[in-house]
Amino acid sequence: VQTCALPISIWAVSMLDGPRPALGLFFPVSLRTLLLSFALCYAALSLVFRRTADQTERQIVPLTLHYRGKTVSLRALRDTGNGLYDPLSGDAVCVAEAPALAPLFDAEIQRCLTLNDGLEMFSALACTENGAGTFRLIPYSSLGTETGLLAAFRPDSTFTDGKPVPDLLVAVSPAPLCRDGEYAAIL
């Protein structure tokens, strides 16, 4: 659609200056006409895509995690572009904020979750009695971070919208995932 819109709009705007003879597939067009055509196409396409983006709402879903007899419920953004997975098992990985996950763990692990670096957090967790062997490292890349590591664990069970989610790991994000606090996890 975009590839056809520009030549047609250039032709239409050039007709405002009066008809000109076509030379094969070449239409002589003034620079003013060309710039006006680009501006009109940009404005029209921007309007269409903004309306489309406004109509597609972010899908926030309830997420419930059970781990060693404890439960947390939080709001999660269902991100269709989330391609994070565990390279060893191939299982999908959800990312959740450390403070939202803290009630699942004892005080010693909670202290480790406050560390701001994934590798540092994992190293500290590996030295705790309950964290050793429980957490693993998940490599990731994101906007602003070419590569990084997140500490992750496997909950006993996970539910979203009341339905079980099998084979899901939960990575701990030391940084907030949402500025306004609308959600605390990304699926």
Side-chain angles (χ1 to χ4, degrees), residues 20-41:
R20 294 188 178 147
L23 305 172
L25 294 177
F26 174 72
F27 291 95
V29 177
S30 69
L31 181 59
R32 181 177 63 104
T33 301
L34 190 61
L35 292 176
L36 181 60
S37 297
F38 278 117
L40 288 173
C41 281

Side-chain angles (χ1 to χ4, degrees), residues 37-174:
S37 297
F38 278 117
L40 288 173
C41 281
Y42 178 79
L45 291 173
S46 294
L47 180 66
V48 168
F49 286 117
R50 278 192 203 120
R51 284 197 176 172
T52 303
D54 290 344
Q55 290 172 357
T56 57
E57 292 183 31
R58 298 190 320 185
Q59 189 177 10
I60 307 294
V61 296
L63 177 67
T64 305
L65 305 171
H66 300 280
Y67 184 70
R68 295 184 179 173
K70 297 180 181 178
T71 302
V72 293
S73 295
L74 41 117
R75 294 166 48 93
L77 171 67
R78 188 181 305 271
D79 182 5
T80 57
N82 181 8
L84 192 59
Y85 66 94
D86 177 19
L88 297 176
S89 66
D91 293 340
V93 178
C94 164
V95 180
E97 295 176 358
L101 296 173
L104 293 175
F105 303 107
D106 61 32
E108 188 178 23
I109 290 179
Q110 286 180 15
R111 277 191 299 279
C112 297
L113 296 181
T114 62
L115 299 172
N116 288 331
D117 178 68
L119 185 57
E120 185 180 351
M121 181 188 297
F122 177 77
S123 298
L125 288 165
C127 294
T128 65
E129 183 179 332
N130 291 327
T134 301
F135 289 84
R136 64 178 81 177
L137 283 174
I138 304 293
Y140 76 97
S141 62
S142 67
L143 190 62
T145 305
E146 190 171 319
T147 59
L149 295 168
L150 293 172
F153 70 100
R154 184 178 303 279
D156 298 329
S157 61
T158 307
F159 295 87
T160 183
D161 286 330
K163 299 174 189 156
V165 180
D167 303 324
L168 182 73
L169 292 170
V170 178
V172 181
S173 172

